[in-house]
Amino acid sequence: MNQRRSSESGFPINGVYTEADLPEDLDSRLGSPGEFPYTRGVYPTMYTSRPWTMRQYAGFGTATESNARYHQLLRAGTMGLSVAFDLPTQMGYDSDEPIAHGEVGKVGVAIDSIEDMRLLFADIPLDKVSTSMTINAPGSVLLLLYQLVAEENGVPGAALNGTIQNDILKEYIARGTYIFPPKPSLRLVADTFAYCRSEVPKWNTISISGYHMAEAGATPAQEIAFTLANGVEYVRAALAAGLAVDDFAPRLSFFFVARTTLLEEVAKFRAARRIWARLMRDDFGAKDPKSMMLRFHTQTAGVQLTAQQPEVNLVRVAVQGLGAVLGGTQSLHTNSFDEAIALPTEKAARLALRTQQVLAYETDLTATVDPFAGSYVVEAMTAEIEAAAVELMERVTDHGSAVDAIEAGFQKREIEQSAYRIAQEIDSGERVVVGLNRFTVDEEEPYEPLRVDPTIEAAQADRLARLRSERDADAVTRALADLRAAAEGTENVLYPMKEALRARATVGEVCGTLREVWGLYRPTDRF
């Protein structure tokens, strides 16, 4: 007799589903594609008119090396670039600061100034590509550097398309690359919303992320509940700053994971769209349909990749990508099979992109919208995840707000409990991981990972020294003083920040100025 399985979110999976498992109000929960509540997708035609945006997350070592990888990906058919930054850049430190030692160029590209940004996007038509930047606390700084480089090449802000992650709240929950306390961090997010509405109107000003919470162990229900609760907090911050909901909400976007549990992942994406549409219409009074559309990017689950028998990851990534597409994603990054070992090689990155291209052009996935609509199992799962996520969001609200819940450690604690449960299931063999706890081999084949040049740190330090000796030091000092004054007052800080970066102030100098005004966040802090 087969043991009854449970979903990742904790509800039982029936061996057989029938019409009796469907919600009684299924028609109103579904709607039509491109119409409220957007369960069946945010656009009427979805992929039947064009496929999702195919992104590849890349960035390592120097800006020049990363630029070469971007050109390779564009030649291979990538439709959008997704930039990984090294840890010092993510934390707002220059490459020559002592705290950056040993981390320069390791997990992404080192960007210290406008000169690095020029090299990163050299000979790339910024009015024709869509660029996503995985950067949070200093997200506004990297966006302004990108805009400055585009302007130098004759591309106005109105022509730029892309996304900055800019999701600081999830950093306090799952990732830890925060700089400032939550209150000024939320102000910086709101200032970015207002700046982009005027200066970079097609830019997605935030990618509210559940991906990192999922990688830390969140279940699908937790992933969407805590992500949407953070989304509510950002909406409230923008409204408190005087912005009208329909002025900024259409540029909000989201970022989710795609796991190997394909059916539950499809249900998760559908449930998330439905919850967000109701929130925006009923709680915030949004009138513009675009304000109610949950548009999202998906990345396949890095945490599910194994260093053992790494080629098996090609299969995992294909299944995960399939779930994202069936769930209605707007863009997709497929992980390379070797990412559990090191930064992906060029061949591995190309194979990851080819996986998406097979899904888009060799299958019939793009022939119809929402293929699982009406499926007994998927509709039942969608309703169950929706109910579980709403209940979790109510528990967040019981603390007062998402920030209050973060300060109480609620989300982090819930995710850690789920991660512990999953680890126990893998250790016991109850949860099968092919090549790790079942179907193992005695000896692994040798694999040569991509190595990052250890001399990068010294080279970046030399570049910074040259920059500081050649620039107009007085102009930088004046620009940073203007930034400080804005941070101490109520002015939008992005305008003086842009002028400081134009004068060739470094990322570390800009973030350091804000640190001096706003302070650093420590988990024991209260505000």
Side-chain angles (χ1 to χ4, degrees), residues 204-269:
N204 296 316
T205 50
I206 193 168
S207 179
I208 307 164
S209 176
Y211 182 88
H212 303 94
M213 289 186 269
E215 292 284 281
T219 67
Q222 289 173 338
E223 179 192 355
I224 63 170
F226 298 152
T227 304
L228 299 186
N230 286 349
V232 167
E233 193 77 8
Y234 292 125
V235 171
R236 288 174 176 162
L239 293 173
L243 300 176
V245 65
D246 287 324
D247 285 344
F248 66 86
R251 302 317 306 172
L252 302 179
S253 65
F254 292 79
F255 175 26
F256 296 117
V257 79
R259 302 170 180 81
T260 52
T261 44
L262 186 147
L263 296 177
E264 187 175 5
E265 291 300 285
V266 172
K268 175 193 78 178
F269 296 131

Side-chain angles (χ1 to χ4, degrees), residues 486-502:
E488 290 172 340
T490 58
E491 179 188 347
N492 189 314
V493 298
L494 269 73
Y495 289 94
M497 186 187 292
K498 184 180 181 184
E499 294 312 307
L501 294 167
R502 192 197 306 275

Side-chain angles (χ1 to χ4, degrees), residues 433-449:
V433 180
V434 174
L436 179 64
N437 63 6
R438 196 182 296 184
F439 313 114
T440 58
V441 293
D442 295 331
E443 187 174 339
E444 294 284 343
E445 294 180 11
Y447 172 80
E448 185 59 36

Side-chain angles (χ1 to χ4, degrees), residues 304-319:
Q304 291 187 323
L305 303 183
T306 62
Q308 298 83 2
Q309 301 180 49
E311 292 84 359
V312 177
N313 293 329
L314 287 164
V315 181
R316 292 188 178 100
V317 168
V319 172

Side-chain angles (χ1 to χ4, degrees), residues 278-309:
R278 285 202 311 266
L279 279 169
M280 295 307 293
R281 186 191 69 175
D282 299 343
D283 291 15
F284 293 109
K287 299 291 191 293
D288 186 342
K290 291 181 179 178
S291 297
M292 307 173 208
M293 295 178 184
L294 184 141
R295 297 169 301 111
F296 62 93
H297 169 68
T298 309
Q299 182 173 338
T300 56
V303 74
Q304 291 187 323
L305 303 183
T306 62
Q308 298 83 2
Q309 301 180 49

